[in-house]
Amino acid sequence: MPDAEWGGPPDYNDAPSAPPQAAEWQWELDANGVPVQNLSMPPGAARGRRVRTDVRQTPPPAPAPRAAVVACMDSRLDIFGLLGIGDDEAQVIRNAGGVVTDDVIRSLAVSQRLLGTTEIILIHHTDCGLQKITDDEFEREIEEETGIRPPWAVQAFTDAARDVRESIGQIKASPFLRRPDKIHGFVFDVATGKLNRVR
């Protein structure tokens, strides 16, 4: 296209100045047109260039978590903060109540066999929503509203510590999981902020 139609290339002197933090680098566009930092070229050298798509980027190192945590999805539980560990030291599997379902067993099996986790930590908490309902009433309510009774169980409970013990029993009984002796159970007290061990 002739310069007269598109105005020609931008004048470098007319370009807006880069923010202070960008003084050492310029933006490039990746294969999808998304801006990326280019630290290796002098200012202005990468203007308008696209990153080569045949250059393989070095992937970040794979995490090597030691534990898999099964916990309630309640937002009051800061799992890594409660356990005092980094976010690369554990995998977290969350659902309503932190109950052990078939899908939790599946995730634990994957965690152990593919990622090498060697411990399982269960965390329930006080004032849980599943302590305030029963399976029958919840399933009946859904059936009345939709006309279909859910094929899954809610697994409501009244005593968080007792349910943790029962969950530990389920895990130990599963033939699909390794190291069933390395299981730790806790109940988080939302009123005090304490994590209490279940024995």
Side-chain angles (χ1 to χ4, degrees), residues 4 10 35 44 48 53 63 85 100-101 122 151 166 196:
T53 58
I85 59 176
V100 176
T101 62
L122 305 177
E166 292 175 359
N196 300 307

Side-chain angles (χ1 to χ4, degrees), residues 123-126 160-161 164 185-189 194-198:
I123 304 179
H124 282 22
H125 66 95
T126 59
V164 167
F186 299 91
V187 173
F188 174 66
D189 189 323
K194 292 183 178 179
L195 194 62
N196 300 307
R197 185 157 195 162
V198 175

Side-chain angles (χ1 to χ4, degrees), residues 1-9:
M1 179 181 295
D3 285 356
E5 293 185 30
W6 66 281

Side-chain angles (χ1 to χ4, degrees), residues 25-190:
W25 49 262
Q26 292 290 320
W27 290 109
E28 284 187 338
L29 300 178
D30 67 10
N32 298 313
V34 178
V36 295
Q37 290 185 31
N38 172 37
L39 301 174
S40 60
M41 294 186 178
R47 186 181 301 276
R49 290 188 53 183
R50 289 184 176 267
V51 176
R52 288 176 54 192
T53 58
D54 60 337
V55 177
R56 186 180 297 264
Q57 299 293 324
T58 303
R66 294 183 296 113
V69 180
V70 179
C72 183
M73 64 187 186
D74 193 298
S75 61
R76 292 173 289 184
L77 275 69
D78 172 13
I79 303 302
F80 297 104
L82 285 175
L83 297 174
I85 59 176
D87 57 9
D88 60 345
E89 294 183 76
Q91 292 187 311
V92 180
I93 303 160
R94 300 184 81 149
N95 65 24
V99 298
V100 176
T101 62
D102 287 345
D103 193 60
V104 166
I105 295 293
R106 179 188 69 88
S107 294
L108 288 173
V110 170
S111 177
Q112 290 182 339
R113 294 171 186 274
L114 299 185
L115 292 165
T117 54
T118 58
E119 298 183 47
I120 297 173
I121 300 170
L122 305 177
I123 304 179
H124 282 22
H125 66 95
T126 59
D127 192 41
C128 182
L130 290 195
Q131 293 176 285
K132 302 172 183 179
I133 62 172
T134 67
D135 281 44
D136 284 343
E137 68 185 18
F138 189 79
E139 291 168 13
R140 185 169 55 250
E141 180 181 321
I142 290 178
E143 186 175 20
E144 289 172 357
E145 185 177 313
T146 67
I148 304 169
R149 195 167 186 87
W152 34 261
V154 179
Q155 298 192 37
F157 53 86
T158 56
D159 185 311
R162 184 174 64 208
D163 198 68
V164 167
R165 293 188 195 97
E166 292 175 359
S167 296
I168 290 174
Q170 285 179 264
I171 290 172
K172 287 185 174 181
S174 174
F176 309 114
L177 301 179
R178 298 171 172 170
R179 304 177 180 88
D181 54 322
K182 292 189 176 181
I183 307 174
H184 314 283
F186 299 91
V187 173
F188 174 66
D189 189 323
V190 297

